[in-house]
Amino acid sequence: MDKQVKDSCVSSCTNLMQAGENKVMHTPEQLIEIEEYINSSNEKIGVWAERKRNGQKALKYLPVAKVIDSVADYVQKKYGIDIHGNSVGLNESSLKHIDSEHINSISKSKMSNADLERIGYVLEHPDEIALTQKRTTATRTKDNKKAPKIVLRKRIDGHYYVVEAVTDAIAGQDVVITAFIEEVEKESPKYKEIFKGAYHVPNALDITSP
């Protein structure tokens, strides 16, 4: 595996790299997805994040992924909201929440730029989708109701990469509220409850030892 790719991997990638090199513990399909995840880094996200943190000029909304059909179908079935074809992106509020997620948490690690740069892969390859009862006041649906929160999760060996997002019907976009990485063995009670009734994406492949 390319040394530069290895060196750029921190946090979620650290254990993944070790697991990826232990081919005995993974199926060929899992090894392919490990490679895809590691190589999915979008450096533009890291550059944008640093510019935002430093108060420099940067896009107000940075698209990082497209809503996949399985997510859009599920949301439409549950809430009657059509988000097919929407982009999913980050804004300044997203970044502030992401940067502070690890504070006062025993399970969440601080998200590095290397982790953030792979958020698009998680959004387009989730294992599970959940909808929370709590709605946000930040965005509205087409019928002017508070938008529901959509929570997506992908297991990456001993960690969960979790992303919360909402739809903005007026802009025709989905916005990331926050994202974080936590250890599977230290899963927070809040998210354990949220994912009890989660929708498991067909053909999803956990990057996990069999």
Side-chain angles (χ1 to χ4, degrees):
M1 198 167 287
D2 188 83
K3 183 179 184 297
Q4 187 175 2
V5 173
K6 284 186 181 182
D7 291 344
S8 72
C9 289
V10 295
S11 202
S12 67
C13 284
T14 303
N15 289 343
L16 184 59
M17 287 304 309
Q18 296 168 356
E21 291 177 343
N22 187 358
K23 295 180 172 55
V24 176
M25 296 297 294
H26 291 79
T27 67
E29 292 79 11
Q30 287 170 334
L31 289 170
I32 289 171
E33 195 166 45
I34 286 172
E35 189 84 13
E36 287 178 352
Y37 174 78
I38 292 170
N39 291 325
S40 69
S41 176
N42 180 350
E43 293 181 359
K44 290 181 180 179
I45 298 174
V47 172
W48 173 87
E50 283 304 306
R51 292 186 68 84
K52 280 290 186 185
R53 292 182 185 116
N54 295 325
Q56 297 174 296
K57 187 176 180 181
L59 292 173
K60 289 184 178 180
Y61 175 86
L62 179 71
V64 296
K66 282 284 187 183
V67 175
I68 61 171
D69 285 344
S70 55
V71 173
D73 291 346
Y74 182 65
V75 172
Q76 189 164 28
K77 179 181 177 181
K78 287 288 185 180
Y79 283 110
I81 300 170
D82 186 3
I83 60 173
H84 287 85
N86 280 12
S87 64
V88 191
L90 299 162
N91 59 22
E92 189 170 352
S93 177
S94 313
L95 187 61
K96 286 180 179 177
H97 280 95
I98 291 168
D99 282 347
S100 64
E101 274 287 355
H102 67 288
I103 298 173
N104 298 323
S105 173
I106 62 170
S107 64
K108 299 173 186 175
S109 56
K110 182 175 174 58
M111 286 273 279
S112 68
N113 281 348
D115 298 319
L116 190 58
E117 288 169 0
R118 291 171 172 82
I119 194 171
Y121 184 85
V122 175
L123 286 164
E124 293 183 350
H125 300 82
D127 298 326
E128 300 172 281
I129 309 164
L131 300 174
T132 68
Q133 295 300 316
K134 189 175 180 180
R135 291 181 176 236
T136 179
T137 56
T139 59
R140 297 274 173 171
T141 59
K142 289 179 181 177
D143 56 0
N144 204 34
K145 292 181 179 178
K146 295 177 184 177
K149 290 184 181 180
I150 306 163
V151 191
L152 301 97
R153 180 166 77 175
K154 185 160 195 71
R155 180 165 176 164
I156 303 170
D157 246 38
H159 294 79
Y160 286 129
Y161 193 134
V162 182
V163 185
E164 287 189 19
V166 290
T167 185
D168 186 342
I170 295 174
Q173 300 169 334
D174 284 11
V175 183
V176 171
I177 298 175
T178 192
F180 61 88
I181 292 169
E182 68 175 355
E183 293 179 41
V184 172
E185 293 183 358
K186 296 180 181 178
E187 181 184 9
S188 64
K190 173 184 174 182
Y191 287 91
K192 186 176 287 187
E193 185 65 28
I194 286 174
F195 281 99
K196 268 186 180 178
Y199 170 66
H200 295 267
V201 180
N203 302 317
L205 182 68
D206 287 349
I207 310 179
T208 311
S209 303

